Amino acid sequence: MFTGKFVERTFSDPRIKDPNWRAAQRPRSTVDMSVSNREFDSRHAAELYNRYFDEHLYAEEVGFDAIMLNEHHNAPFCMGSQPNIEAAILARITSRVKICMLGNVLPLWDDPLLLAEQLAEIDMISRGRLINGWVRGTGRESVAHTSQPPYNFDRLEEAHDLIQHAWSVPGPFRWEGEHFHFREVNPWVLPYQKPAPAQMAAGLISKNSMEWAARRHYPYVMLATEVGATKAAFEFYKEIAREEGYEAGSQHFGYLVKVHVDESDELAYEVGKNFLGGRSNPFNEGNEGSVKGFMQNPPGYIKRGNLLPTVGADTASGARLPAARAVVTAETDTAAARRAARRSRTYDELVDAGAIIVGSPRTVIAKLKAITDELRMGSIFFWGGEGAMTHEESMRNIRLLGTEVIPALKDYAHEIGVTSPFEVDPGWQSHRFLDQRSEYFHEIDAF
Amino acid sequence: MHSVDEIEIAGGTIVSLSGGSGQPLIYLHHSISSQGWLPLHDTLAQGYEVHVPDMPGWGRSTRPEWARDVRDIAALMLAWIDAKGIQRPVVVGCGLGGWVAAELAVMMLSRMDQLVLVGAAGLQPRQGTIADQLVIDYNDYLRLGFQDQEMFDQVFGEDPPRETRQLLYDGREMTMRVTFKPWMFRRQLPHLLRNVETPAVVVWGSEDRIVPADCGRQYAEILPNARLEIIEDAGHFLDLERPEVLAGLIRAAALNSVA
């Protein structure tokens, strides 16, 4: 079992503890993306960025295999708008953990060659500890960087292909694509890992991106989706793998899960409430923020019918409709659905549904074993230290995960034959895509 | 009474409705897609041979996957006009369809008899900005385009049917395939409009919250033979909100043109 640590690097606003301030914010911040950056406090954020690095370092010390970084924009709940900067710092200050990008929002890059150069430097400085992960971004990202949603997936594909060529085909060559044009592709600095760094992909609901990953043998990390629906989504990956002529195994599957472990079940339950206490995090269901449904699916972003079973999974089980998972399409965009989406689940509902796992090491180990039985994922990422958690609370979670939960889970995975992508090669270095030349690739004469 | 017609253009199909008799009049719909044969079209059909195409990529017309620009849509519409054998038409364009009509006017010059721009996109407003569909809910956007909320309820309401919703979603996607950066205008267009001697009427709702009224003033200033008509106390979707008034202005425009 490959284990990673994840936090959104929330702008955890200290004023959140003040009920008067909270009440004053509520009318302005109930709608996604309506929080103005006039609320941003640079000095406080500086402390937070450094705190998160301290926690990353501690995670390495206590036995995590990876630090996972993500990217969002215009987001109080995630200050990781430039995760490659954070990755570069981690490359130098850590010595063992993998640096797992889940991921770079590829469609935003108008010059993916700059990204190829950044990632190569990170892989170099870390001596080969980079795991690339590619994501499409949420609607928020398209809005924040005015990125054309109908071409989001096409841009991901083309930018990815361009970067892979830049890393593995000797230059100079020319790239004449649909979205990108380069007449001299020949970056001097290439990644440490040959022929290319390890690769993963991540997502919630898009069939396109899961199919794309499965065709390339990239392990796919489902981001805190409901377990039953996640299992069904993995079946879709397996079908595609069969089409490609291989059997997908646990090395191809990953899962992100919200966990707070503490000294006792009671303490963990209390501290876990902080998951919902962050600053307007629409992904922390139940706090004051909510997502505009239509923004989960900007125009042309998700092709009709290309949704994984994780869409609407929670509605099937009853009245629960987590706003952050309610992907609105022409089929579902009714007045009733819009009203339902405004309702957030309570903390207890989220704990009961397993969307947040809290407890003593013993309790949490049992819950995670059950999830492992169900999903047989070779990688797990623990989402903690989130929302309004203090540094001390976060450090207790990291310590108990590292010293108790992770060893137990690794033993269990070994026992039931669940293997990680670093035990069994998912095929990320050997599959046919590395040898294929894109139609956009053109040889040029040296001069 | 209207009929449905399909024509192959550039490897795709353009579907159109037509009815009435008289001088040919082409109505180009908003970005929200054609809402079919409207009361406005019935009124106009009393004096014109009215054509209501689904622009390529909208409604039942094939999406040109390769199209990246509103000019591509205009070029396809020009090919369609030719294929239909339509001579010296009146072209009425609403919103995004107004932009297409303006591009068509640049391409057709004297072959277009009359240009009617209704809350047309295509020019950068000097004051204000054009409403951004990327950040506005589909239903809220429709509501924004009506000054008369009762009329909005009558046409769309809180809960439009499934077919209408699909048109809205697909229309918005197609729109963002052909205009994005810049949003809803082209810097070259005003320069080219100076060549367009075609008699033009520019119609705007005084309360248009989608395309600022300044765009109407600019069209009227730049086009050599244009007149600006403001419909008081009306919004952006004039074809849906004030069809009788709009039809009257279109008819009057044609009479003036002949005179």
Side-chain angles (χ1 to χ4, degrees):
Chain A
M1 181 76 88
F2 181 69
T3 57
K5 167 188 178 290
F6 174 65
V7 62
E8 293 260 25
R9 289 88 84 216
T10 309
F11 180 78
S12 178
D13 200 311
R15 295 171 292 183
I16 205 80
K17 305 282 184 196
D18 174 357
N20 293 328
W21 183 84
R22 276 182 72 113
Q25 293 304 306
R26 196 171 295 266
R28 277 197 286 141
S29 58
T30 47
V31 176
D32 183 34
M33 300 193 76
S34 65
V35 181
S36 165
N37 62 3
R38 77 164 67 86
E39 300 290 337
F40 185 72
D41 176 340
S42 304
R43 285 173 191 275
H44 178 59
E47 295 310 310
L48 284 170
Y49 271 118
N50 283 286
R51 166 191 147 181
Y52 293 131
F53 275 111
D54 291 342
E55 293 173 8
H56 296 330
L57 282 172
Y58 187 53
E60 176 176 69
E61 188 186 322
V62 298
F64 283 71
D65 298 317
I67 307 299
M68 163 180 163
L69 296 170
N70 71 331
E71 170 181 343
H72 283 294
H73 297 269
N74 296 14
F77 65 82
C78 176
M79 296 195 298
S81 51
Q82 292 297 322
N84 299 322
I85 301 252
E86 296 170 81
I89 295 166
L90 285 173
R92 179 64 183 161
I93 67 173
T94 61
S95 56
R96 182 184 57 79
V97 285
K98 303 267 188 203
I99 301 157
C100 187
M101 310 305 295
L102 283 171
N104 267 291
V105 183
L106 264 183
L108 296 189
W109 288 78
D110 286 333
D111 184 345
L113 270 187
L114 289 174
L115 177 59
E117 291 172 328
Q118 288 184 9
L119 292 168
E121 283 197 31
I122 293 164
D123 201 35
M124 203 66 52
I125 295 164
S126 67
R127 297 188 176 87
R129 288 184 287 123
L130 175 69
I131 302 173
N132 277 323
W134 311 115
V135 296
R136 302 181 59 186
T138 67
R140 168 187 301 279
E141 277 63 63
S142 293
V143 171
H145 285 273
T146 318
S147 177
Q148 214 159 358
Y151 305 122
N152 176 284
F153 186 69
D154 300 346
R155 285 171 64 93
L156 176 130
E157 278 192 302
E158 189 182 330
H160 164 273
D161 292 352
L162 168 60
I163 291 170
Q164 289 294 15
H165 279 69
W167 283 344
S168 57
V169 183
F173 62 83
R174 185 184 286 205
W175 188 270
E176 294 186 330
E178 179 67 29
H179 298 280
F180 307 110
H181 293 263
F182 296 92
R183 291 200 285 278
E184 283 285 323
V185 182
N186 194 21
W188 183 250
V189 174
L190 295 170
Y192 187 91
Q193 298 172 74
K194 300 296 178 200
Q199 311 278 338
M200 285 190 182
L204 294 162
I205 44 133
S206 165
K207 254 189 175 174
N208 283 20
S209 55
M210 183 176 265
E211 178 177 341
W212 174 84
R215 296 211 185 278
R216 287 159 182 76
H217 302 229
Y218 294 167
Y220 203 83
V221 182
M222 291 295 282
L223 301 172
T225 41
E226 193 268 329
V227 172
T230 303
K231 189 177 180 182
F234 287 161
E235 287 304 316
F236 173 70
Y237 187 112
K238 287 179 186 170
E239 278 170 34
I240 300 293
R242 272 177 223 121
E243 277 178 32
E244 288 292 320
Y246 74 97
E247 277 300 315
S250 50
Q251 66 276 14
H252 293 103
F253 302 118
Y255 190 55
L256 171 69
V257 58
K258 264 181 202 165
V259 180
H260 182 76
V261 195
D262 221 317
E263 303 292 354
S264 68
D265 284 342
E266 294 72 23
L267 184 59
Y269 174 82
E270 283 307 313
V271 174
K273 289 177 180 169
N274 286 321
F275 270 118
L276 308 191
R279 182 69 166 83
S280 188
N281 180 355
F283 299 99
N284 282 349
E285 300 140 20
N287 75 357
E288 69 270 74
S290 66
V291 174
K292 285 177 181 166
F294 80 97
M295 210 155 334
Q296 287 292 82
N297 178 17
Y301 194 82
I302 295 167
K303 306 294 177 235
R304 248 187 274 178
N306 256 328
L307 296 168
L308 289 170
T310 41
V311 165
D314 294 88
T315 50
S317 61
R320 295 189 193 108
L321 185 72
R325 302 281 181 269
V327 173
V328 175
T329 63
E331 282 82 359
T332 60
D333 191 3
T334 61
R338 284 198 292 275
R339 276 193 296 276
R342 288 185 203 120
R343 185 190 172 276
S344 295
R345 288 186 287 186
T346 64
Y347 175 61
D348 284 328
E349 283 174 324
L350 288 163
V351 170
D352 290 346
I356 293 177
I357 292 178
V358 290
S360 63
R362 184 192 161 103
T363 303
V364 167
I365 288 166
K367 287 182 180 178
L368 293 178
K369 279 183 178 174
I371 292 175
T372 309
D373 284 338
E374 203 59 22
L375 298 181
R376 296 189 63 84
M377 68 293 180
S379 303
I380 188 166
F381 296 89
F382 302 103
W383 182 354
E386 189 56 80
M389 302 262 182
T390 64
H391 177 57
E392 292 67 32
E393 289 160 351
S394 180
M395 293 292 269
R396 289 207 302 275
N397 181 44
I398 294 166
R399 171 169 58 80
L400 293 169
L401 280 171
T403 56
E404 303 201 33
V405 176
I406 286 175
L409 205 57
K410 278 182 186 274
D411 284 348
Y412 185 67
H414 187 69
E415 208 176 288
I416 64 169
V418 164
T419 49
S420 88
F422 296 95
E423 292 164 326
V424 174
D425 179 7
W428 49 28
Q429 305 292 29
S430 56
H431 64 79
R432 64 187 168 82
F433 283 91
L434 281 178
D435 302 320
Q436 267 181 358
R437 292 291 164 271
S438 163
E439 58 180 312
Y440 303 142
F441 168 89
H442 300 279
E443 306 243 19
I444 55 172
D445 294 327
F447 56 89
Chain B
M1 278 295 286
H2 63 270
S3 57
V4 186
D5 179 52
E6 286 186 16
I7 290 192
E8 292 291 312
I9 300 290
T13 304
I14 295 183
V15 180
S16 62
L17 309 177
S18 49
S21 59
Q23 188 187 7
L25 180 147
I26 299 164
Y27 162 94
L28 300 177
H29 58 77
H30 290 277
S31 65
I32 59 170
S33 304
S34 169
Q35 306 297 309
W37 189 262
L38 301 169
L40 170 73
H41 303 134
D42 266 333
T43 310
L44 290 171
Q46 288 163 28
Y48 296 95
E49 177 191 287
V50 178
H51 298 273
V52 183
D54 282 345
M55 294 193 290
W58 279 266
R60 284 177 288 175
S61 295
T62 315
R63 175 193 289 172
E65 295 284 339
W66 48 268
R68 294 288 181 275
D69 196 291
V70 167
R71 277 170 298 176
D72 298 332
I73 305 302
L76 287 168
M77 290 316 301
L78 183 58
W80 174 82
I81 290 169
D82 242 37
K84 291 280 283 185
I86 296 173
Q87 303 283 330
R88 289 192 56 82
V90 175
V91 178
V92 179
C94 301
L96 179 82
W99 180 3
V100 176
E103 297 284 0
L104 261 177
V106 168
M107 293 173 181
M108 293 176 78
L109 298 175
S110 61
R111 288 178 290 151
M112 185 186 287
D113 188 63
Q114 178 89 27
L115 173 65
V116 182
L117 299 176
V118 185
L123 299 178
Q124 182 184 20
R126 289 168 299 197
Q127 287 108 39
T129 52
I130 298 173
D132 183 2
Q133 297 184 19
L134 194 55
V135 295
I136 308 176
D137 184 270
Y138 294 82
N139 230 43
D140 293 346
Y141 182 78
L142 294 176
R143 192 181 279 285
L144 195 66
F146 279 79
Q147 174 66 6
D148 180 349
Q149 295 301 307
E150 270 177 37
M151 202 60 193
F152 166 80
D153 285 333
Q154 202 177 310
V155 179
F156 290 110
E158 200 55 53
D159 222 2
R162 162 83 178 68
E163 296 71 27
T164 307
R165 297 199 305 260
Q166 195 66 59
L167 285 173
L168 296 176
Y169 271 70
D170 292 351
R172 190 176 276 195
E173 172 176 355
M174 189 59 209
T175 301
M176 289 193 186
R177 293 176 75 90
V178 293
T179 177
F180 201 72
K181 289 198 259 192
W183 174 242
M184 286 285 183
F185 64 86
R186 185 162 80 89
R187 293 199 188 282
Q188 293 78 6
L189 182 58
H191 302 281
L192 294 164
L193 287 174
R194 293 185 195 287
N195 297 324
V196 177
E197 300 282 348
T198 312
V201 178
V202 181
V203 186
W204 234 264
S206 66
E207 310 304 316
D208 191 329
R209 292 187 294 267
I210 306 269
V211 183
D214 179 66
C215 294
R217 284 193 286 274
Q218 285 189 65
Y219 271 117
E221 286 165 20
I222 296 168
L223 286 163
N225 286 313
R227 191 175 79 244
L228 180 62
E229 294 280 357
I230 302 289
I231 302 181
E232 291 302 327
D233 199 29
H236 177 71
F237 297 117
L238 294 172
D239 48 339
L240 301 167
E241 191 181 352
R242 303 289 281 277
E244 292 299 329
V245 180
L246 182 59
L249 285 171
I250 293 169
R251 279 215 205 89
L255 289 175
N256 286 346
S257 158
V258 171

